[in-house]
Amino acid sequence: MRSPRDIFTFYDPATKIWRGNNTPPLYNPNQSLGAFLLSVLNRSPHQIAQISADTGVRLTCAEIRLRTIRVAQNLTRMGYGQGNIFSMAVRNDENAAPVLFACFALGIPVNTLDASFERHDLSHMLNLIRSQVVFCDRDEMKVALEMTKNDAVVFIVGEGDVEGCRHVNDLLVETGTAALELLKHPQAPNTDFSSIRLLFSGGSAVSAELKYALDKMIPHISSRVGYGLSEIGGIATFSDADIYKAGAAGYLRPLIQAKIVDLNGESLDIGQQGEILLKPVYRFLGYYGNDEATAEMVDVEGWLHTGDIGRFDEDGLLYVVDRKKDIIKYGNYQISPSELEGVIQSVPGVLNVCVAGIPVPGNDLPAALVVKCAEIDVSAEEIHRVISNNLGSYKQLRGGVYFTKELPMTPSGKVLRRQCRDILIERYNNSSK
């Protein structure tokens, strides 16, 4: 592997801080996000930019740009602009992107909500933000109307009209997603992936086994692995085709600094594991209406506390272990759920898995919630045996192995660990009676 150190990423041993290249940004950082998106869409007007898996509708860059402009014009006619705030709780729909882009163009902050939120979570977020306009699916319409107390205009995105709500089509009139499920999908071996030019994996720790399996399934490309978060506007590290080590999430991108700190906030050296802190040149302004959460995320020096545990190696590659709050504490050991999940996912017949700790007096007991493949059966005993053969005694699944039809997930394919943990605790308590 070609080392990126002192070429793409640099280390200061005095401060123990890593940084990416000081490359000038390609685009004007002072332009609005909306202006940037409209400019990019205008460069390749005939290129297909979006394909709906549900309806088969294909939209070119020019069509998305036109819809964006129409939505922006109609929102302006309705009196909306800077000073307003909107909320969106929609699933994938051909008009979701134009609505969001139009808000960016008008300088309207958008509170994007997961459409799979339970009623309590959705109600909490809508009550906190108090948006003037809410875009939602039919399923979320009742909660939106109830929480906004008819003080907000509610637009339905998707099929059908609803009394008391407007439809997103009113704004379009002229004014003058997961890698693991892909791998184990029954149609994957017979699917033509030749049109794929770039495959990116992230969102949680990506095991070497998962990356190599993707590379084997789609041999004409080398899948990329990265790490990032919304608060920095996207990706912090990214691997290249010829710069990858097993389990690494790549090296720092330009204009980003990083360091690893211990529980006392002291900087750690190369190879030492602790919390990942990031300091991008351009970062988020804060959490809307929540100064306390912003202060917890960003310290006085401008470092973002990610809540993720990781380390850098000698070459400047970042290894993300797990979320700080997800680490399982058993005895005097700290156990990474992702490590156990990587081993369990290697078992034939396992489609997906989430590992969490069952709280008992003085300890957390590792437990696994497993989704089976339809074609291959797998037993709890087999999973216990594989864990026993591959991991140390303190990493055994003392909380048990439990099967479920599906894991609770977000529309983008991220496992909802908190809900999985609640399910595991309930199953464990029931099995102990």
Side-chain angles (χ1 to χ4, degrees):
M1 184 207 78
R2 180 166 59 95
S3 175
R5 186 171 177 180
D6 297 329
I7 301 175
F8 301 113
T9 186
F10 306 84
Y11 182 68
D12 183 347
T15 61
K16 298 178 182 177
I17 292 176
W18 290 89
R19 68 168 177 85
N21 263 323
N22 290 325
T23 305
L26 293 175
Y27 304 99
N28 178 9
N30 296 316
Q31 70 178 334
S32 71
L33 181 56
F36 165 73
L37 290 169
L38 289 172
S39 174
V40 171
L41 290 170
N42 198 39
R43 291 177 186 175
S44 305
H46 303 298
Q47 180 176 332
I48 297 296
Q50 178 176 283
I51 303 174
S52 173
D54 297 325
T55 64
V57 173
R58 294 170 174 250
L59 294 179
T60 64
C61 289
E63 289 171 324
I64 291 180
R65 185 173 185 273
L66 177 59
R67 293 190 184 194
T68 298
I69 292 172
R70 287 177 175 173
V71 172
Q73 290 174 333
N74 281 292
L75 287 173
T76 301
R77 285 176 177 268
M78 294 171 66
Y80 296 112
Q82 292 186 5
N84 293 121
I85 184 167
F86 291 178
S87 289
M88 289 186 69
V90 301
R91 293 171 176 79
N92 289 333
D93 181 87
E94 63 190 74
N95 290 319
V99 168
L100 186 63
F101 294 170
C103 293
F104 291 156
L106 296 176
I108 300 174
V110 181
N111 174 33
T112 52
L113 303 174
D114 191 331
S116 66
F117 274 167
E118 296 294 331
R119 180 185 180 86
H120 171 75
D121 293 326
L122 189 60
S123 298
H124 170 72
M125 293 302 297
L126 289 174
N127 186 58
L128 176 67
I129 300 301
R130 293 297 182 187
S131 304
Q132 290 77 46
V133 174
V134 177
F135 293 93
C136 64
D137 297 328
R138 291 172 59 94
D139 295 341
E140 289 76 39
M141 173 268 303
K142 290 183 179 179
V143 178
L145 288 175
E146 177 184 325
M147 294 311 302
T148 59
K149 297 180 173 61
N150 296 319
D151 292 333
V153 177
V154 177
F155 283 92
I156 300 298
V157 179
E159 295 183 357
D161 295 319
V162 177
E163 185 178 354
C165 302
R166 302 188 64 172
H167 197 277
V168 71
N169 288 339
D170 296 341
L171 299 176
L172 293 169
V173 296
E174 295 189 50
T175 60
T177 168
L180 181 63
E181 293 189 346
L182 171 64
L183 277 173
K184 298 195 176 184
H185 195 284
Q187 296 180 10
N190 301 317
T191 300
D192 180 11
F193 293 109
S194 60
S195 63
I196 295 180
R197 300 182 183 180
L198 176 65
L199 182 61
F200 174 78
S201 298
S204 60
V206 178
S207 67
E209 292 78 11
L210 177 56
K211 175 189 158 43
Y212 293 144
L214 288 169
D215 291 345
K216 182 178 180 180
M217 184 177 70
I218 312 176
H220 68 279
I221 64 169
S222 176
S223 61
R224 311 295 179 86
V225 178
Y227 167 75
L229 55 157
S230 302
E231 290 83 352
I232 66 166
I235 298 172
T237 66
F238 199 70
S239 67
D240 289 334
D242 57 345
I243 301 178
Y244 177 75
K245 289 182 183 178
Y251 58 88
L252 283 172
R253 310 315 292 169
L255 305 179
I256 293 180
Q257 291 180 299
K259 63 180 178 179
I260 307 296
V261 300
D262 61 17
L263 293 175
N264 298 317
E266 297 295 327
S267 297
L268 299 174
D269 211 337
I270 294 172
Q272 294 181 301
Q273 185 171 294
E275 184 180 5
I276 303 168
L277 270 60
L278 300 174
K279 193 176 185 180
V281 172
Y282 307 105
R283 64 170 176 83
F284 83 137
L285 300 178
Y287 298 113
Y288 180 81
N290 198 336
D291 294 338
E292 183 179 348
T294 301
E296 291 179 2
M297 180 67 177
V298 187
D299 63 29
V300 294
E301 296 181 351
W303 288 97
L304 275 66
H305 294 244
T306 66
D308 294 319
I309 303 298
R311 61 180 173 84
F312 280 97
D313 70 7
E314 288 282 350
D315 291 313
L317 297 179
L318 176 65
Y319 295 76
V320 181
V321 177
D322 239 315
R323 291 289 296 169
K324 187 177 180 180
K325 63 182 180 181
D326 293 332
I327 293 294
I328 300 170
K329 297 178 181 179
Y330 177 77
N332 294 321
Y333 298 100
Q334 292 191 347
I335 304 170
S336 165
S338 296
E339 181 183 9
L340 275 66
E341 289 165 358
V343 174
I344 297 172
Q345 285 168 352
S346 68
V347 178
V350 173
L351 177 63
N352 207 347
V353 59
C354 179
V355 172
I358 304 294
V360 296
N363 273 313
D364 291 332
L365 303 181
L369 190 62
V370 179
V371 179
K372 297 181 182 181
C373 290
E375 297 80 8
I376 306 174
D377 194 18
V378 60
S379 66
E381 290 74 19
E382 186 175 357
I383 293 173
H384 277 294
R385 183 169 59 254
V386 171
I387 290 290
S388 178
N389 292 339
N390 288 275
L391 298 175
S393 61
Y394 67 94
K395 296 180 180 179
Q396 300 306 302
L397 296 169
R398 289 175 169 82
V401 175
Y402 307 91
F403 295 99
T404 184
K405 292 183 178 180
E406 60 182 8
L407 298 181
M409 304 179 77
T410 69
S412 61
K414 285 187 178 181
V415 174
L416 295 169
R417 286 189 175 273
R418 186 179 65 179
Q419 292 187 23
C420 289
R421 182 173 178 269
D422 292 341
I423 295 172
L424 285 169
I425 292 173
E426 183 181 359
R427 296 280 191 92
Y428 176 81
N429 291 335
N430 290 337
S431 66
S432 301
K433 292 179 180 179

